[in-house]
Amino acid sequence: MITSVSEANGKTPTGGFNALVPEFDVFDLQQSLDFWCDGLGFGLAYQRPEQGFAYLERDGAQVMLTVITGEWQTGPLEYPLGRGINFEIGVAQINPLLEGLERISWPLFVSPREKWRVTGDRESGNREFLVQDPNGYLLRFSESLGTRPVTG
């Protein structure tokens, strides 16, 4: 469990800041940190505990978590948050995440599956699963299976 800034490296994310970093409003920061860090293996780059904020990273993916303050609120916020969007996060392998979620007894939204999608004259394959975080955000983690010619 991540409990203090001393457990973070206290620096900017590895490789700097991504051009696009989603910031998730959360109901309970510690519960979200437990899920993202203990369950999914994200690391804490830095946090501002007094503001209820944490910046996380894993293998080049970056997310921000912030306790709901109403600053960015465009409408009522109720569970599940993030309706209508899912966030795909590419990872080298999904098995370590699945093991982490099993370790914290977290249910999957969609079990691991293989999906091939047409991208021009090729198909790109992924092994993926979907999970909802404690706030209801839908997260799709995928590992690449490479590409192949379009069939049929």
Side-chain angles (χ1 to χ4, degrees), residues 102-151:
E102 185 176 331
R103 193 171 43 256
I104 65 170
S105 301
W106 202 270
L108 299 180
F109 188 80
V110 172
S111 295
R113 63 187 182 184
E114 186 176 303
K115 292 291 278 190
W116 290 86
R117 296 174 176 94
V118 174
T119 53
D121 64 348
R122 311 278 302 160
E123 287 182 310
S124 298
N126 289 305
R127 186 166 170 253
E128 63 186 24
F129 72 91
L130 285 88
V131 62
Q132 281 186 288
D133 86 337
N135 306 283
Y137 293 106
L138 191 56
L139 311 170
R140 180 168 30 128
F141 289 91
S142 65
E143 73 178 75
S144 175
L145 298 174
T147 63
R148 65 186 184 195
V150 174
T151 57

Side-chain angles (χ1 to χ4, degrees), residues 9 11-21 45-46 55-63:
N9 66 21
K11 299 179 181 171
T12 58
T14 306
F17 293 94
N18 288 348
L20 176 64
V21 182
Y46 67 92
Y55 200 107
L56 309 178
E57 63 180 332
R58 179 192 168 106
D59 300 329
Q62 300 173 355
V63 298

Side-chain angles (χ1 to χ4, degrees), residues 71-85:
E71 182 177 0
W72 309 112
Q73 193 167 330
T74 59
L77 294 177
E78 58 188 42
Y79 184 89
L81 298 176
R83 283 171 262 176
I85 190 168

